[in-house]
Amino acid sequence: MGCGSTRVAPVTEPIPVKIPELNRTKKKTKKESNDSESKRPKTTRSTAIPDKDAQNTDHHQQLVNDIEAADPYAFNTSFIQQRRKAIDNHSYRSTIQSWRPNSLQQLVNAIKSLSENKSIVDCHWIIFYWITYNIEYDTVSYFSKNYADQTAEGVFRTRKGVCAGYGNIYKYLCDALNIPCEKVSGYSKGYGFDERESVPTETDHAWNAVEINHHWYLIESTWGAGHLTEEKNFQRELNSYYFLPKPVEMIYHHLPENERWQLLQKPIGMKQY
């Protein structure tokens, strides 16, 4: 029955940009070399919320200190280990890369077969990896503002999509596998973002939220698939950081329209974002 048996409208958006790597002296291990999880957004407490006035330092620090996860038990040791184990499973990657499904149903069947008797975290990684490996960001649609079919069927057929399409196909596959999943609309600091511009009045991005063993997590398959180059071309580059990332880090570059999906004890507002 696959992983399901073991489980306890298009929007215009900034496309993912190359995420600068944090300063670190540690060299990449052999396992880390296969994706870009180490390339996390800069979320250092001194720069996450800009100080326009040095006199506001205390207020700034208070805002940062208020950012705490609503569910302190979500990222427990067992979950962290399961997540890392799934990401490092090269058998999953090679098997998924060999798939040639001709329909969404064939893809669902393949996921069910590979995830049979596996954890729900493994199942999500299989979905995430298939999407990031196979779906290309549709830069033509983005720059022309003439968006192609962003339904799960449309994205599967063309193997292209913008964020709405990534979110739709992720949710479709989860629904087919009886896995709780929601599509989240909101704002992001991706390509074209400029802090000096006025506050946006419409949402410009979409991602997903999933429930695993009574805990909610975030999934960002669009940014996990790659980034935009200076030449405005999409460069595929797996970034597993966006596979179940921590809400207290995601909030610095993803602000859900519905504050529930911030997954924070004290949701922040647009001004703080």
Side-chain angles (χ1 to χ4, degrees):
M1 292 178 63
C3 57
S5 64
T6 63
R7 68 173 176 84
V8 223
V11 291
T12 59
E13 85 288 352
I15 2 186
V17 292
K18 184 79 169 181
I19 300 298
E21 188 168 2
L22 290 177
N23 293 328
R24 57 179 67 200
T25 56
K26 175 185 162 187
K27 297 177 81 175
K28 270 192 178 182
T29 64
K30 186 175 181 181
K31 290 182 179 179
E32 290 174 326
S33 64
N34 293 303
D35 63 58
S36 305
E37 181 165 24
S38 60
K39 298 174 183 176
R40 304 182 180 215
K42 291 182 177 179
T43 57
T44 56
R45 299 207 161 191
S46 60
T47 60
I49 303 176
D51 278 327
K52 295 183 179 180
D53 187 337
Q55 309 246 335
N56 292 329
T57 301
D58 291 342
H59 177 62
H60 163 235
Q61 190 60 49
Q62 183 59 49
L63 291 176
V64 174
N65 290 338
D66 283 345
I67 299 178
E68 296 182 17
D71 183 355
Y73 304 106
F75 285 81
N76 55 69
T77 301
S78 176
F79 169 80
I80 292 173
Q81 291 176 344
Q82 287 184 56
R83 177 184 178 275
R84 187 71 256 171
K85 185 177 180 181
I87 291 172
D88 290 341
N89 190 320
H90 293 280
S91 175
Y92 283 159
R93 300 192 187 199
S94 60
T95 299
I96 293 168
Q97 290 173 22
S98 71
W99 290 350
R100 299 293 184 272
N102 294 316
S103 67
L104 279 171
Q105 187 56 55
Q106 286 185 9
L107 175 59
V108 169
N109 291 340
I111 295 173
K112 284 183 178 179
S113 178
L114 183 59
S115 62
E116 187 172 8
N117 298 322
K118 301 298 193 303
S119 75
I120 193 70
V121 174
D122 287 67
C123 190
H124 276 295
W125 173 250
I126 292 168
I127 296 172
F128 182 89
Y129 188 76
W130 186 90
I131 291 175
T132 56
Y133 183 79
N134 288 279
I135 305 303
E136 177 183 348
Y137 192 90
D138 191 352
T139 55
V140 173
S141 288
Y142 173 75
F143 286 111
S144 69
K145 305 305 179 185
N146 182 21
Y147 295 95
D149 183 0
Q150 297 302 308
T151 64
E153 183 62 46
V155 172
F156 177 84
R157 183 178 62 253
T158 63
R159 297 298 199 271
K160 290 185 177 182
V162 293
C163 69
Y166 279 85
N168 285 336
I169 194 168
Y170 200 102
K171 179 167 172 50
Y172 177 95
L173 294 173
C174 285
D175 288 349
L177 296 163
N178 297 315
I179 300 174
C181 175
E182 298 291 340
K183 182 180 168 186
V184 179
S185 295
Y187 311 87
S188 70
K189 298 176 181 177
Y191 179 81
F193 173 79
D194 188 338
E195 290 180 336
R196 293 170 297 180
E197 294 180 353
S198 59
V199 175
T201 58
E202 296 182 357
T203 58
D204 58 17
H205 196 49
W207 57 100
N208 297 96
V210 298
E211 185 182 20
I212 301 175
N213 297 331
H214 309 294
H215 302 287
W216 281 95
Y217 301 88
L218 302 173
I219 291 281
E220 185 24 314
S221 58
T222 310
W223 288 20
H227 62 270
L228 191 68
T229 67
E230 293 181 357
E231 294 75 28
K232 298 183 179 181
N233 296 317
F234 181 68
Q235 180 173 321
R236 189 184 305 281
E237 182 179 11
L238 173 66
N239 192 337
S240 60
Y241 167 78
Y242 292 107
F243 174 67
L244 306 171
K246 293 182 178 180
V248 294
E249 296 178 357
M250 279 285 281
I251 195 60
Y252 286 98
H253 38 86
H254 286 69
L255 180 68
E257 181 178 29
N258 183 340
E259 66 180 28
R260 171 190 178 187
W261 300 120
Q262 293 184 27
L263 304 181
L264 300 178
Q265 283 189 14
K266 298 179 181 179
I268 70 170
M270 178 62 75
K271 183 178 180 179
Q272 293 165 285
Y273 177 69

